[in-house]
Amino acid sequence: MECFDYNGLKIYYKKIGSGRPVIFLHNGGNSHVIWERQISFLSDSHECYAFDLPGYGMSANPGIRYSLSLYTGFLDEFLLRSSLGPVTLVGNCIGSAIALRYAIEKPINVDRLVLFHILSKSTVRDGMIGPVFRATELIPTLRQMMRYTLGNLIIPEVIGKYSIKLQFGSRGDKSLELISELQQVYRQKGQLSALGDILVDIDSFEILDHFEIPEVFPKTIVIWGEENCILPYKSGKKLSDTLNPHRFVAIQGGGHLVMHELADEVNPILSTFISL
């Protein structure tokens, strides 16, 4: 793992391969390990960067506010300092939100977008934490109180295991190695703070619900597991209909970690799209 310093935050990433650059951004709560099967598949022809987002994995977690603007800011700074040409951004959940929001702000820096399960205000509302979202919608300060109350707690092992289980669909490989690695991530102090900030900052994601890709914009593909209970397929399809990407792919039996569990199906789609 290599390290990148952003405004005093140590942000870690894995770099492997050579060729056209591809940056991988994981979902909230997890780490770069969800992309291991994509990195292995692409590294012969692409230079792959897989980040532990600020607040997760090996990256710094000092308890600051983790906003969407912080995430796009770190990405912009990394691209600037690394002198990378237009890059392909591959994201899952909040990683897709970061990628899409960054492309809206600076499309010239992006070659392709591969967006798994885009986190937006509407997809969160309809997902697993929807009841919490709706219960606190009229009193946003409740979200901040929850964030500060739970932020320093360590996720209990039984809840961690259940949370990982929910991210899988009915088909594909549920790797024990991946589950073990994610359990270790969940045991780190501060994970709930970063997750809680998604809810606190959710209004900044609303732009993604209404954005329609203009004529001049990076080529975009949206991929959604049909059995995703974190961000439901129905909401994802509705968001995608508004976004109007160049391609939309539904993966039957896939969950929130479809890139891992059904990598044999996902990788050819990914490779073909980013090589166009």
Side-chain angles (χ1 to χ4, degrees):
M1 298 287 284
E2 300 186 30
C3 184
F4 166 70
D5 186 279
Y6 175 64
N7 291 342
L9 300 178
K10 292 186 182 300
I11 301 171
Y12 287 84
Y13 62 95
K14 183 174 184 177
K15 176 184 176 183
I16 186 172
S18 61
R20 293 164 60 186
V22 182
I23 291 179
F24 293 88
L25 306 166
H26 63 80
N27 57 299
N30 292 351
S31 74
H32 76 280
V33 298
I34 70 167
W35 301 113
E36 289 291 350
R37 293 179 174 178
Q38 282 65 55
I39 294 169
S40 176
F41 185 79
L42 292 173
S43 59
D44 286 344
S45 55
H46 293 78
E47 188 172 61
C48 299
Y49 299 79
F51 281 88
D52 279 357
L53 293 176
Y56 301 105
M58 291 179 62
S59 293
N61 195 352
I64 62 173
R65 284 286 303 277
Y66 297 101
S67 63
L68 184 57
S69 61
L70 181 146
Y71 288 124
T72 56
F74 112 77
L75 179 59
D76 187 45
E77 185 71 14
F78 179 78
L79 295 180
L80 178 64
R81 285 199 223 165
S82 302
S83 299
L84 294 176
V87 300
T88 292
L89 298 178
V90 183
N92 186 37
C93 190
I94 190 172
S96 287
I98 297 165
L100 179 56
R101 181 65 176 141
Y102 183 75
I104 292 171
E105 294 174 356
K106 297 193 175 182
I108 195 171
N109 293 342
V110 182
D111 180 40
R112 296 282 191 277
L113 285 174
V114 181
L115 308 175
F116 291 82
H117 317 118
I118 306 165
L119 186 151
S120 71
K121 196 170 182 178
S122 67
T123 57
V124 167
R125 182 190 293 116
D126 296 337
M128 190 179 67
I129 66 169
V132 176
F133 179 98
R134 290 186 290 273
T136 58
E137 190 165 18
L138 296 179
I139 312 176
T141 53
L142 286 178
R143 296 174 179 173
Q144 296 181 20
M145 291 172 61
M146 290 173 58
R147 189 266 190 196
Y148 288 121
T149 301
L150 301 175
N152 289 323
L153 298 179
I154 293 176
I155 301 175
E157 184 175 354
V158 64
I159 296 178
K161 287 182 178 179
Y162 180 68
S163 298
I164 296 169
K165 181 180 179 181
L166 286 174
Q167 296 181 62
F168 290 106
S170 62
R171 288 203 305 130
D173 175 29
K174 302 172 181 61
S175 163
L176 293 178
E177 181 179 0
L178 176 69
I179 293 171
S180 176
E181 289 176 325
L182 292 182
Q183 283 179 315
Q184 293 179 39
V185 172
Y186 286 15
R187 294 294 294 167
Q188 295 175 8
K189 188 176 181 180
Q191 297 291 301
L192 287 173
S193 291
L195 283 170
D197 276 340
I198 295 174
L199 201 58
V200 172
D201 191 47
I202 196 62
D203 286 345
S204 68
F205 292 78
E206 189 170 13
I207 185 177
L208 306 181
D209 287 312
H210 308 292
F211 181 73
E212 182 178 349
I213 291 176
E215 184 175 347
V216 180
F217 195 75
K219 295 291 185 183
T220 303
I221 185 173
V222 174
I223 302 174
W224 220 285
E226 291 187 349
E227 294 183 4
N228 189 335
C229 66
I230 310 298
L231 301 176
Y233 170 77
K234 184 177 180 180
S235 297
K237 184 62 170 66
K238 182 178 179 181
L239 182 148
S240 185
D241 287 344
T242 300
L243 181 64
N244 194 25
H246 301 89
R247 188 180 178 194
F248 176 84
V249 178
I251 306 294
Q252 182 182 9
H256 201 55
L257 294 177
V258 66
M259 74 292 299
H260 173 84
E261 55 186 331
L262 294 169
D264 288 345
E265 294 180 26
V266 168
N267 284 346
I269 297 170
L270 175 60
S271 178
T272 298
F273 183 77
I274 67 177
S275 299
L276 291 174

